[in-house]
Amino acid sequence: MNPLTCSRFTAPYRWLIRGGDLLQPLLLLLFRLWIANVFFKSGLTKIDDWDTTLLLFTEEYHVPLLPPAVAAALAAAGELGLSALLALGLGGRFAAAGLFILNAVAVISYPGLTEATREFHYYWGMLIAVVLAFGPGLLSVDALLRRWARRCAARD
């Protein structure tokens, strides 16, 4: 095949790849903000009425290995703190790993989940797994710090 014919057939594929490369940082930002919003709202709900939260962790949620009050405090702190880190993309993989664990524990420890709510948790888990696999992306504090560190290293 001559180069002109080859180029004509491969150009659309190259454009598609380039478009995906340009969209990846935006999609990772969207995933981070979506997940952070879900978990942050859940954390706010927990601290809004702490007595009810403690009651739920005592009666409804069966978190393995932890006393209910400890599980409630860790869940609220994790949902608020880790979701803020994830939204910023600061310690992005760390935050995603923590939220992935929180999400998995929620599915395991609450037998009252309906099939529909279980599907939401699976969906959130998949979005978190994408951030775990690819990192928080170029539109994150992690990427900004990485660029800054490279500039500092290049000057030394």
Side-chain angles (χ1 to χ4, degrees), residues 28 34 43 47-48 54-55 60 69 81 91 110-111:
L28 288 170
W34 187 279
I47 64 170
D48 186 48
L54 288 175
L55 180 68
E60 293 286 323
Y110 185 48

Side-chain angles (χ1 to χ4, degrees), residues 54-150:
L54 288 175
L55 180 68
L56 285 171
F57 273 83
T58 302
E59 301 294 327
E60 293 286 323
Y61 308 149
H62 306 289
V63 177
L65 307 175
L66 295 174
V70 172
L74 287 175
E79 287 176 335
L80 294 170
L82 294 171
S83 61
L85 289 175
L86 189 69
L88 294 170
L90 178 60
R93 281 191 165 114
F94 168 78
L99 290 174
F100 191 87
I101 291 167
L102 273 171
N103 189 50
V105 169
V107 170
I108 292 166
S109 65
Y110 185 48
L113 284 178
T114 65
E115 190 57 37
T117 54
R118 191 177 309 279
E119 291 295 323
F120 275 113
H121 282 275
Y122 294 157
Y123 170 68
W124 298 331
M126 287 185 289
L127 292 179
I128 296 168
V130 169
V131 177
L132 271 170
F134 294 103
L138 294 175
L139 301 174
S140 66
V141 174
D142 284 353
L144 183 68
L145 291 173
R146 193 170 32 255
R147 286 191 297 270
W148 178 74
R150 284 184 188 145

Side-chain angles (χ1 to χ4, degrees), residues 10-66:
T10 60
Y13 176 73
R14 286 186 312 227
W15 294 334
L16 183 64
I17 296 301
R18 182 68 179 136
D21 289 345
L22 292 173
L23 284 176
Q24 186 185 33
L26 292 172
L27 284 174
L28 288 170
L29 176 63
L30 176 68
F31 290 176
R32 289 187 357 245
L33 294 176
W34 187 279
I35 291 300
N37 181 53
V38 168
F39 282 89
F40 195 78
K41 284 180 180 176
S42 178
L44 288 177
T45 301
K46 282 178 180 58
I47 64 170
D48 186 48
D49 188 352
W50 192 248
D51 290 335
T52 300
T53 298
L54 288 175
L55 180 68
L56 285 171
F57 273 83
T58 302
E59 301 294 327
E60 293 286 323
Y61 308 149
H62 306 289
V63 177
L65 307 175
L66 295 174

